[in-house]
Amino acid sequence: MSSSRSNRSEQPRITAARSLALGTVAGSLLAAGCASRSAPPSASTGVVSPVTPAVQVRPQLRIEPNEAESNRLADARAAADSEDYDTALRIFRELLQDNPTLAPAYTGIGEVLENKGEIELAEPAYARAVSLDPTDFTAMSGHGRVLEALGRSKEAIRALQRALTIRPRDLASNLAMSRLLLLSDQTDGAIAFAERAIRVDPASGPAHLALARAYSKAGRGPEAIREYETACELIEPPVDVMFALVNAYAAEKRYREAANAAEALTRTAASAAAYERLGWSLFRLNEFDASDAAYRKSIELDPAYWPALNGVGVNALNNWIKNGKQPDDPLRDEARAMLQRSLRANGDQPKVAALLLKYRL
């Protein structure tokens, strides 16, 4: 009996001890769980941490080509150089199937597609190359070119800025930056990049032309003329450059030089606009007969070219006024006819309409 009582008396104590022990372990586990959220468990604590799955570490993918890939890249570039674009694209794409992080293959695809004129497809290829290798100047500058061609000027500027951090003296990138900044009315920046382009290559006609355009937009007429003249000495100037030079001379009231440049333009690229500029310059020099002849040649080339119609009309009007404004003078009829033709070609000319009203033509 005493033995039974003893066992029964000890049982609550054992049960309590077990409960205390279990509570301690549970508390430790909870504590370990809370601690694991803020700091890794220490081996010295003796606390058992919850089991967590092992972190799977992925092997680093290769970006740089190995020897075999380099040989295949060379084959693809050779095919691209010979304008065998299909072969080049096939090789580049096969390389990417084996190594999707091969940045030079994306650059090659971008170049091929750009050369084919498929700039919308070239853009993401260049972008992928840049994301894989931010030091690839070819990809960065190519990305800038196609972004500019797509009309995405702000993105093109950012791409070219990154390219120029790698090669600050690259002529084409400096010229592109000058051109893009000029289009976005950042004239000072356009001037700075054009000036840098000239420092890179003082004999570059396009660089002098870029600086001339930037100076012209900045209102620095004499400097613009100097750069236009230099560009014309270095390259066969495009028609728009010759027009720009004529207008630059005119803005500085250098009418003789404007007339000379316009006359040269009529010889190299005869057009209604070229003869009109010649007529306008000669008018400013008070050479009215020669001016009238140039205007009429312009109308022969384009009967609806309203600036030249205005020129003939104004010359006739001035001669009619000098002759005493006789009502039956044929010059009055010609002035009216030419100015009315001009208004029919372009109705938004309030000054021409005012002349017709003022002189009752």
Side-chain angles (χ1 to χ4, degrees):
M1 292 292 292
S2 61
S3 167
S4 299
R5 278 198 302 271
S6 175
N7 289 340
R8 283 196 296 269
S9 65
E10 289 296 325
Q11 188 173 357
R13 285 197 292 268
I14 293 171
T15 303
R18 285 176 177 173
S19 298
L20 178 61
L22 289 171
T24 302
V25 172
S28 299
L29 289 173
L30 287 172
C34 293
S36 68
R37 293 188 182 93
S38 58
S42 171
S44 63
T45 63
V47 176
V48 179
S49 299
V51 176
T52 56
V55 176
Q56 299 295 323
V57 178
R58 288 186 175 184
Q60 183 67 36
L61 294 174
R62 288 182 295 106
I63 296 176
E64 291 298 322
N66 58 30
E67 183 177 356
E69 289 169 337
S70 295
N71 292 334
R72 293 289 283 159
L73 285 168
D75 292 339
R77 293 183 185 120
D81 289 342
S82 62
E83 299 185 4
D84 184 0
Y85 296 137
D86 290 341
T87 298
L89 288 173
R90 177 178 56 76
I91 296 173
F92 285 134
R93 286 166 178 158
E94 287 173 353
L95 284 165
L96 288 172
Q97 287 179 351
D98 295 331
N99 181 2
T101 63
L102 192 61
Y106 283 106
T107 302
I109 290 173
E111 289 182 301
V112 169
L113 293 173
E114 182 185 1
N115 289 334
K116 292 179 67 177
E118 299 177 10
I119 56 174
E120 291 184 352
L121 298 176
E123 188 275 324
Y126 279 134
R128 178 63 174 154
V130 171
S131 69
L132 289 169
D133 185 0
T135 66
D136 186 346
F137 171 82
T138 301
M140 285 186 180
S141 58
H143 198 205
R145 282 194 307 274
V146 297
L147 287 169
E148 180 184 4
L150 291 169
R152 295 160 60 179
S153 298
K154 291 182 180 179
E155 295 170 87
I157 289 172
R158 288 195 293 269
L160 288 166
Q161 283 174 330
R162 292 194 296 269
L164 284 167
T165 61
I166 300 173
R167 294 187 192 174
R169 290 177 59 81
D170 182 70
L171 181 64
S173 297
N174 278 287
L175 290 177
M177 279 293 290
S178 179
R179 182 171 57 252
L180 286 163
L181 292 174
L182 194 62
L183 288 173
S184 60
D185 294 324
Q186 299 180 56
T187 310
D188 290 343
I191 290 172
F193 280 100
E195 288 176 336
R196 184 196 284 180
I198 290 174
R199 290 195 296 272
V200 171
D201 184 1
S204 169
H208 287 280
L209 180 54
L211 186 56
R213 287 171 169 153
Y215 279 154
S216 182
K217 192 164 186 177
R220 296 165 62 172
E223 294 162 290
I225 289 172
R226 183 191 67 222
E227 295 301 326
Y228 275 127
E229 290 174 336
T230 303
C232 290
E233 291 172 0
L234 293 170
I235 58 175
E236 184 67 34
V239 171
D240 66 314
V241 173
M242 291 300 295
F243 275 112
L245 180 56
V246 171
N247 292 332
Y249 281 135
E252 294 299 310
K253 299 183 179 181
R254 294 166 60 173
Y255 301 124
R256 177 55 63 192
E257 289 156 300
N260 291 341
E263 186 176 10
L265 188 55
T266 63
R267 292 195 300 269
T268 58
S271 67
Y275 276 102
E276 186 277 331
R277 288 289 82 191
L278 176 58
W280 183 89
S281 302
L282 293 170
F283 180 88
R284 291 292 181 174
L285 291 167
N286 298 324
E287 298 178 14
F288 300 115
D289 290 342
S291 168
D292 191 65
Y295 281 136
R296 291 179 187 276
K297 180 64 177 177
S298 175
I299 295 171
E300 286 179 20
L301 295 173
D302 184 354
Y305 195 67
W306 58 268
L309 291 168
N310 286 340
V312 173
V314 168
N315 274 329
L317 180 61
N318 286 334
N319 287 330
W320 175 64
I321 293 170
K322 288 177 184 177
N323 289 348
K325 296 194 288 188
Q326 298 301 314
D328 57 350
D329 191 331
L331 289 169
R332 180 177 183 272
D333 297 334
E334 183 172 45
R336 180 178 62 249
M338 289 295 176
L339 295 176
Q340 287 178 344
R341 278 178 61 183
S342 176
L343 278 177
R344 285 194 295 271
N346 177 16
D348 186 19
Q349 297 187 81
K351 291 183 178 180
V352 174
L355 283 176
L356 288 167
L357 290 172
K358 179 178 179 180
Y359 293 102
R360 299 182 180 181
L361 297 176

